[in-house]
Every structure is written in structure tokens, then in C-alpha cells.
Amino acid sequence: MKKTLCGAILIFLLGGCYTPINNSGVATTKPWLEVSGKKTGFDGKQYDSCYRFNVRFWPQEAAENIDLKDACISACCWRADKEEITLDFNKNFEADLAIHGRARKYSPAKITFTVSHSNLVNTTKVTVFPKGAVSNNGLVKLSYKEYENPARLAQIAKNAQTLAKANSVTSTPQEEPQSVKQRAVKTPKKSSVPKAADTAKALVQRQAGAKIDNFFYHMNKTYKQQGAVFLISERILHARAAAEPDVYTVSCQAKARTGIDVQNLRASTFSCGLWTVNITAGTVEPDDKRARLIWGK
């Protein structure tokens, strides 16, 4: 009798901490933890579930350092595959400082989510470290300090001036000396093109990747509101050289499967924008309507 009474009290106390039941029929300990699907055994007990953190960031730029899909923010993750997620806001700090000459260092540097489930009370629990890093309404509020690399900033300014002068100068082509032609044949520059294109794509991924993830996250929510299914998969980037030196145009497309339900899906391709990348300056700018919408301009 005593054990039964203790068990009832425990369930009552735990139940007071739970938020309303999700669409999957599972309760959660935080309003921003969503459970969209579950797997149960023959005994009816849950052994896996697909969860998502419905959180937002302030400042919003902090999300640019996070892979929102991998972090189970823009897409749900199966608990059997990922029970612990760590958001590392400073993982790109050194690279950003070296490339752009400016970078932010956030605090807390990392936030860890640990997800577990209790069949006893049909509840999925999430614990956060450091405690209090996420508010009850899902706001991840960070502080930050900005750092500068004076040498890199000076180099960027110099490169920009050189590029501006080169674009303003118009001259007629002159016949190259034979020795120069011979050297050009011996040391072709074609091998540098793929590397430059890869750099352009990497800059788009770094600077616009989080915004693109957020765009498809909201598209997914719209599909759900309409009772449809939207499953995003791979994102494909193509880079081609522009007329200006060290400038590339990068197109972004995402493969997805959509339909009225999971049994009736068809392959679709969605544009995620056209982007102009200046490798020398390390800048990325939206170049069409979709890119400007994603960027927020």
C-alpha cells in the first residue's frame, strides 16, 4: 500500500511539470519540445520518437553557426539516433575572424540538450545545460563580444581598392611576349578554378546556410498547417565565374519530397536563391527575389 501511494504521489508531482500532449499523443516537459512521431512495440510501449526543438535565437545571427537540421531544430530527429545535441556557437569563430576580419564570440559557448522518455507517465523529457540557457517559451538568449583582426581588415580594404582600380581601367589587349606564352602553357591556371568555385560555395554555406535552413523550416510548418507532408533532403550548390575577377554566382537548389501524406510523395526541387560571392572580400549577397526573401532584404 505504501509503495502504491508513493508511486501515485511521484506520478502526480511529475505530471505537474508536463506541458500539454503533442500531436503524437506524448507529453513533454517543455513547451518548445515537440514530438511529431513515435514507434511502439507489441506491448504498446514507446521505444523511439521523433522530436524537435522549437527554439529561436537572440541575436538571430547566432543561428548562422548552427546546422539547424542536424541540431533537430528545422527537422525532427529520432531519439534512438540522437539522445544528446550540443549547439556550438563558437565553432567557426577562428575561421570567421581569419576570413572576414571580424567575428563574434558568444556566451554560453555551448548549449547541450539531453532527451529521454518515460513510458510510466508517457512523457518525453529534455534537460538543458547550462541550466536556464533556454527560456520557457523557447528563446535562446546569448551575449557576445566582437573581435577584430586588424591585419585581415587592412588586407580586405586593400584588395577592394585594387579590384576597384582594375575594374575602372580599360585597355586594349597587347600581344604577349613569346616567353610569357610559353610559361602560361607550362603552368595552366585551370586547376585553380575548381578550388575557387568550392570556396564560393563554402562561403554561401557558411553565411547563408542557417537562413536557408530557417526558410525551409517555415515552409515545412506551412505544409503541416495544410495537412500535407514536406520532407527536405539534400541541398545542391552550383558556382560559375562572373565577369569580375574573383566573383562567382552561386545557385542553390534543394531536393524534397512532398505530398498529401507519406504514402503519396513525389520528388520536387525548390530554389534556395541565387547568390553573388566575392572570394577576395569574403562577402555573400542575395542576387534574386528568392535569395533576398531568405536573407531578409
Side-chain angles (χ1 to χ4, degrees):
M1 180 68 183
K2 186 176 182 180
K3 290 183 178 180
T4 303
L5 179 60
C6 291
I9 293 173
L10 176 62
I11 293 173
F12 175 78
L13 291 175
L14 290 173
C17 302
Y18 299 147
T19 60
I21 291 177
N22 282 252
N23 292 334
S24 61
V26 179
T28 59
T29 57
K30 296 292 182 183
W32 45 266
L33 175 62
E34 297 180 355
V35 178
S36 57
K38 62 181 179 179
K39 297 178 182 179
T40 57
F42 291 111
D43 58 358
K45 292 183 178 180
Q46 182 193 131
Y47 65 88
D48 200 1
S49 59
C50 202
Y51 66 88
R52 186 180 74 83
F53 304 124
N54 186 17
V55 298
R56 61 193 192 281
F57 300 88
W58 185 262
Q60 296 180 1
E61 293 80 6
E64 295 176 5
N65 294 319
I66 304 299
D67 185 330
L68 297 179
K69 182 179 179 181
D70 188 62
C72 312
I73 295 173
S74 63
C76 74
C77 299
W78 289 101
R79 183 166 39 84
D81 298 327
K82 294 181 179 180
E83 291 186 338
E84 185 174 285
I85 302 294
T86 298
L87 310 183
D88 187 351
F89 298 100
N90 295 330
K91 65 179 180 180
N92 299 321
F93 173 75
E94 297 293 342
D96 287 343
L97 192 61
I99 294 172
H100 307 297
R102 291 189 179 89
R104 291 178 177 180
K105 182 168 281 190
Y106 292 96
S107 179
K110 295 181 180 180
I111 295 176
T112 299
F113 301 104
T114 304
V115 180
S116 60
H117 180 78
S118 170
N119 277 310
L120 178 65
V121 288
N122 187 33
T123 300
T124 299
K125 177 183 178 182
V126 59
T127 56
V128 182
F129 181 84
K131 189 176 180 180
V134 184
S135 69
N136 195 54
N137 63 3
L139 178 63
V140 181
K141 192 171 183 179
L142 305 164
S143 61
Y144 66 89
K145 182 179 179 181
E146 291 189 343
Y147 292 82
E148 291 187 352
N149 182 337
R152 176 55 179 159
L153 289 174
Q155 184 183 26
I156 291 173
K158 183 179 179 181
N159 290 341
Q161 291 175 357
T162 302
L163 185 61
K165 289 179 181 178
N167 291 336
S168 65
V169 174
T170 57
S171 59
T172 56
Q174 297 181 356
E175 185 67 22
E176 292 181 335
Q178 187 65 24
S179 60
V180 175
K181 290 182 179 180
Q182 291 174 349
R183 288 198 299 272
V185 172
K186 293 179 181 179
T187 57
K189 295 183 179 180
K190 290 184 179 179
S191 62
S192 64
V193 175
K195 294 181 180 179
D198 289 343
T199 300
K201 290 188 287 186
L203 283 169
V204 171
Q205 178 64 32
R206 175 69 57 80
Q207 297 186 32
K211 294 180 182 293
I212 293 171
D213 283 342
N214 191 55
F215 171 77
F216 285 123
Y217 160 63
H218 285 288
M219 184 179 289
N220 180 48
K221 287 189 70 173
T222 301
Y223 269 73
K224 280 187 176 181
Q225 289 170 357
Q226 297 173 352
V229 178
F230 177 86
L231 300 176
I232 196 73
S233 58
E234 61 190 313
R235 192 163 60 209
I236 303 171
L237 300 177
H238 293 287
R240 59 180 176 84
E244 299 82 4
D246 292 330
V247 177
Y248 280 76
T249 299
V250 178
S251 63
C252 176
Q253 291 183 322
K255 298 293 183 180
R257 296 182 67 82
T258 61
I260 56 174
D261 52 48
V262 293
Q263 284 76 33
N264 297 277
L265 297 177
R266 61 180 178 86
S268 302
T269 301
F270 292 85
S271 169
C272 36
L274 197 66
W275 307 86
T276 297
V277 181
N278 187 316
I279 294 176
T280 305
T283 58
V284 174
E285 291 291 337
D287 199 35
D288 68 352
K289 184 178 180 180
R290 177 59 59 87
R292 286 190 287 273
L293 175 65
I294 291 172
W295 196 259
K297 288 190 175 182

